[in-house]
């Protein structure tokens, strides 16, 4: 795990679940069909688990979703994605022949409307791509150059320097805050290289300005609560499958559900033990692909 990943994910855990018990013991190595037999509901991460950059699909991703569908399992895509609307994510999944229905997609961006019920924002400076603006519309937040409170909503990674500079200017005011719609710190690419993403940018803004950060998405509990509420069976038969220890697995541990970590994407097999020790959270299982 890279140093910024460790520091930021540890901070998430301290914020979201300060009393979470440290993991003990090693996870079991299993094949996907073992999980298929033993669980009724599957929460699946998207990026790094099923797909990656430019429409890249990981081996057997389509077949695994089809197997879950044929076995009448409940499935949900639980994604820290806020740069594409749920409709667009659904379209992307259909183009990749990944069989999800729209109501089975729970994106961190769509939690902004829920978060804003308590925050009560009317406007904010928006730092993200055009496709993520729909989440602001749903939350009834207007994107403006001069927000009435020093608040920035961050969703994207392809940001112009002028936009970042304007955000820093706004956040240099007292009581500033950033609503972060994707807590991921790094994302894996098909080549194995990891790229810094929104959680990394949020931390940079905090270091530069001292702003407060509020998060939507994994590992924070709300996205899991919404997913679990949408499932009929009890949470004993639910498993989260993802590639990131600090979001997918940590979030599952906080939510009190089982998890399986897909190795070789965001976590190298050779670094697994160190990473588990570092964050103090462990999946129940590890998978070497589907
Ligand atoms: Mg992922």
């Amino acid at each position: 795990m890279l140093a910024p990943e460790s520091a930021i994910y540890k901070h998430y855990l301290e914020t979201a679940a300060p009393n979470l018990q440290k993991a003990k013991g090693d996870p079991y190595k299993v094949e996907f069909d073992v999980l298929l037999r033993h669980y009724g509901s599957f929460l699946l991460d998207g990026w790094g688990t099923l797909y990656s950059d430019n429409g890249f699909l990981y081996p057997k991703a389509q077949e695994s979703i089809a197997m879950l569908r044929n076995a009448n399992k409940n499935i949900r895509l639980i994604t820290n994605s806020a740069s594409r609307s749920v409709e667009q994510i659904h379209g992307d999944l259909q183009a990749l022949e990944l069989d999800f229905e729209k109501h089975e997609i729970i994106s961190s961006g769509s939690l902004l409307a829920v978060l804003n019920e308590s925050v009560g924002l009317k406007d904010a400076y928006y730092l993200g791509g055009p496709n993520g603006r729909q989440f602001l519309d749903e939350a009834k937040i207007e994107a403006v150059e001069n927000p009435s409170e020093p608040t920035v909503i961050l969703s994207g990674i392809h940001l112009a320097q002028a936009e970042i500079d304007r955000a820093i200017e706004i956040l240099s005011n007292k009581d500033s805050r950033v609503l972060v719609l994707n807590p991921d710190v790094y994302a894996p690419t098909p080549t194995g290289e990891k790229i810094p993403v929104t959680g990394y940018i949020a931390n940079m803004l905090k270091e530069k300005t001292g702003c407060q950060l509020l998060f939507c998405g994994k590992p924070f509990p709300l996205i899991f609560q919404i997913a679990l509420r949408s499932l009929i069976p009890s949470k004993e038969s639910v498993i989260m499958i993802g590639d990131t220890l600090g979001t997918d697995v940590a979030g599952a541990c906080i939510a009190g559900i089982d998890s399986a970590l897909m190795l070789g994407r965001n976590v190298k097999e050779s670094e697994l033990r160190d990473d588990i020790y570092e964050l103090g959270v462990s999946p129940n299982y590890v998978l070497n692909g589907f």
Side-chain angles (χ1 to χ4, degrees), residues 45-49 184 188 218 242-244 247-248 266:
D45 170 54
W47 188 284
T49 300
D184 280 32
K218 300 172 286 185
D243 69 311
T244 306
T247 56
D248 303 314
N266 236 339

Side-chain angles (χ1 to χ4, degrees), residues 1 10 57 66 71 118 131 149 166 172 201 209 222 252 259 271:
M1 185 176 303
K10 267 191 202 167
L57 266 176
S118 55
N131 294 326
E149 296 172 52
R166 177 64 189 137
S172 299
I201 298 168
T209 67
L222 183 61
S259 62
E271 295 177 2

